[in-house]
Amino acid sequence: MWGEEDVSSGKAAKDENFPVGSLLISRQLRPHVQAYYDFARVIDDIADSETLSAEEKINRLNGMEAVLCKDVPAPDRSDVWTARHLYNSFLETGVPFDTATDLIIAFRQDAVKTRYQTLEELTHYCRYSANPVGRFLLSLHKEGPDTVPASDALCTSLQILNHLQDCKTDLIKLDRCYIPLDLMQEHHVVVEDLLADKASFALRKIFNILLDYVDALNKEAEDLPRLTHDRRLRLESAVIVYLAKFLAQRLRNEDPVAGRVKLSKKDVILSVSKSFRYFM
């Protein structure tokens, strides 16, 4: 998310590149952001469990959705109570419930789907796994519908960047590959190539194709700070856009097969400093 980022992604709440509980969010709204983050983390952990079966994952996700949307009695478990807390938050703020239930749609898919044939198919997954996070923040801050396309572009960018960062570990731990299979077939690459010590020339070409798409998304996302009215959220969104650009560049220059590519402290400092012009 861009604020989850990495509820972000969205992927929603693990290995965050951009912390959800950012100090840039107003103190009044932080409890609601935290409630959303806690819920997203729980359902993400369910979907990414290495011990639950697909059926068990879906049953638990359905249970979380029932508590969130139907106000049914919640079992006495801390993870389920995150759904009740978010239910109360949504009632208080008027944020649409689909900003959470769309995440559940994505995580149900994660429970049973481990491969993506095309970039279009992957982008459709991001529509549910990442974009709702940005829409949650926009709705929480009472931003207008004109901000949604740029937010969706940013969230999809962050999700794909996270897929590239975790391309090897996702395959090892969860047998998931988000790299489109048609690109692999076109460049004579197989999924198992992600398990090598370093990326092959052909796999590197595929990464760059995906990063070209990410660059286009980040370009579209540049409109988000300009369109956002809340000053704190405007600054937050600007920082995240810059961080997405820095991470995309790092993924061009470094090898996510050889090791997880991360942002540096310098990237964060530069992103914040460049963004302060949006706080005026």
Side-chain angles (χ1 to χ4, degrees):
M1 141 176 29
W2 56 262
E4 95 175 166
E5 282 66 29
D6 231 16
V7 153
S8 142
S9 281
K11 320 297 119 234
K14 65 176 187 176
D15 298 328
E16 293 83 1
N17 290 307
F18 320 108
V20 174
S22 170
L23 294 177
L24 297 178
I25 299 295
S26 71
R27 187 180 299 274
Q28 180 183 5
L29 296 180
R30 280 179 218 162
H32 299 292
V33 176
Q34 190 66 48
Y36 187 83
Y37 173 82
D38 289 343
F39 176 81
R41 176 178 289 280
V42 166
I43 60 175
D44 188 40
D45 285 347
I46 292 171
D48 285 357
S49 171
E50 298 176 43
T51 58
L52 295 174
S53 68
E55 182 179 3
E56 289 170 330
K57 290 177 181 181
I58 290 173
N59 286 340
R60 291 188 65 173
L61 290 169
N62 288 345
M64 294 289 288
E65 184 175 39
V67 173
L68 174 65
C69 296
K70 300 177 183 178
D71 194 23
V72 299
D76 189 17
R77 291 204 325 262
S78 60
D79 59 347
V80 178
W81 276 101
T82 62
R84 178 55 53 80
H85 292 157
L86 188 57
Y87 169 86
N88 293 333
S89 172
F90 282 164
L91 290 184
E92 181 179 341
T93 61
V95 172
F97 278 69
D98 63 9
T99 58
T101 56
D102 279 356
L103 293 178
I104 295 176
I105 291 172
F107 295 152
R108 284 198 198 99
Q109 182 168 310
D110 273 337
V112 297
K113 186 177 178 65
T114 61
R115 303 290 187 272
Y116 289 81
Q117 186 63 37
T118 65
L119 180 57
E120 289 74 19
E121 193 174 291
L122 180 61
T123 301
H124 183 262
Y125 167 76
C126 295
R127 152 70 179 84
Y128 292 96
S129 66
N131 298 4
V133 181
R135 295 185 184 209
F136 163 80
L137 285 171
L138 294 175
S139 179
L140 183 65
H141 287 82
K142 311 300 182 187
E143 295 292 338
D146 58 332
T147 57
V148 171
S151 173
D152 284 354
L154 179 57
C155 289
T156 297
S157 163
L158 295 173
Q159 182 74 97
I160 295 174
L161 289 170
N162 185 244
H163 290 328
L164 290 172
Q165 284 180 294
D166 291 342
C167 61
K168 189 170 186 175
T169 55
D170 280 342
L171 186 60
I172 293 171
K173 293 184 177 181
L174 300 166
D175 188 35
R176 283 194 205 139
C177 178
Y178 295 97
I179 309 300
L181 296 180
D182 63 347
L183 285 177
M184 289 191 168
Q185 292 163 1
E186 179 182 349
H187 293 275
H188 307 289
V189 169
V190 295
V191 171
E192 290 72 23
D193 290 344
L194 293 170
L195 301 177
D197 292 334
K198 61 180 182 179
S200 65
F201 178 76
L203 186 55
R204 181 71 257 178
K205 287 181 67 175
I206 294 172
F207 290 161
N208 288 340
I209 289 170
L210 293 174
L211 289 168
D212 287 343
Y213 179 61
V214 165
D215 286 346
L217 291 171
N218 287 340
K219 182 66 176 177
E220 184 177 354
E222 290 177 358
D223 288 336
L224 185 58
R226 178 178 59 82
L227 295 171
T228 301
H229 295 291
D230 183 271
R231 286 206 310 165
R232 285 178 171 269
L233 187 64
R234 186 163 65 241
L235 178 58
E236 171 91 353
S237 64
V239 171
I240 302 306
V241 170
Y242 279 117
L243 287 173
K245 291 181 176 182
F246 280 125
L247 182 54
Q249 190 58 51
R250 284 197 171 275
L251 282 162
R252 283 193 187 275
N253 297 334
E254 302 175 34
D255 183 0
V257 174
R260 195 171 195 269
V261 178
K262 299 180 181 180
L263 291 162
S264 69
K265 290 183 180 179
K266 181 180 179 181
D267 294 331
V268 176
I269 293 170
L270 283 174
S271 296
V272 173
S273 63
K274 285 174 175 286
S275 299
F276 264 106
R277 63 191 177 95
Y278 289 101
F279 198 56
M280 304 305 293

